[in-house]
Amino acid sequence: MIRPLMRDPFFLGLPCEEATPADASVGQDLLDTLAAHAHECVGMGANMIGVRKRVIVFDHDGTHRLMYNPVLEATAGPYQTEESCLSLTGSRPTQRFKRITVRYLDERFTERTESFSGWTAQIIQHEIDHCNGVVI
């Protein structure tokens, strides 16, 4: 189901709780909402649709991916950039990493560890920030 976007900075600044298999519908709602905003957005965290759970979705080379409880395990190649967010107006400076390794649960809640680089890594870092209550 396509959900309305949360735009309250206070809510977006609250850390999210761990997701459980009972939150599978949140993942699907995020995928649906990202698809509806694909013309203007490349990733979303669950708090962007008003749910304080550690769930993210993102575009990975044209395919929308889903992660429950993502955690950065390793980072390399720091750089400075500017980012915007669909939930907020304007853009803000931030530090990102060129290469990351993420531990997460997939759509079946099976633990996975995967490495990403470049643009996809930047998107994932932004969405994990959402899970941590970091507003960029």
Side-chain angles (χ1 to χ4, degrees):
M1 171 191 329
I2 299 169
R3 304 274 298 267
L5 297 177
M6 169 60 66
R7 298 187 187 276
D8 178 2
F10 176 78
F11 182 86
L12 294 170
L14 297 172
C16 296
E17 300 173 1
E18 293 286 307
T20 69
D23 298 310
S25 65
V26 174
Q28 186 57 57
D29 288 351
L30 266 178
L31 286 167
D32 293 345
T33 305
L34 179 60
H37 291 276
H39 64 284
E40 60 185 339
C41 183
V42 292
M44 302 183 90
N47 60 355
M48 291 177 68
I49 60 169
V51 180
R52 286 188 46 230
K53 292 291 186 166
R54 293 186 64 84
V55 185
I56 69 170
V57 294
F58 58 96
D59 181 88
H60 179 66
D61 297 329
T63 300
H64 290 168
R65 299 270 312 268
L66 167 67
M67 291 180 175
Y68 294 98
N69 303 323
V71 175
L72 287 178
E73 292 287 306
T75 59
Y79 66 97
Q80 294 296 315
T81 189
E82 285 224 356
E83 293 179 353
S84 59
C85 181
L86 188 60
S87 290
L88 304 169
T89 57
S91 64
R92 287 145 297 282
T94 189
Q95 177 177 291
R96 294 294 180 216
F97 296 92
K98 293 178 185 175
R99 294 172 305 284
I100 62 171
T101 301
V102 183
R103 181 175 38 87
Y104 66 97
L105 301 176
D106 67 13
E107 65 280 351
R108 293 186 179 99
F109 283 83
T110 301
E111 187 169 307
R112 305 269 185 220
T113 301
E114 193 170 351
S115 294
F116 298 90
S117 62
W119 179 234
T120 301
Q122 184 175 337
I123 298 166
I124 293 169
Q125 290 169 82
H126 182 102
E127 303 317 328
I128 290 176
D129 277 354
H130 271 291
C131 293
N132 295 333
V134 176
V135 180
I136 299 291

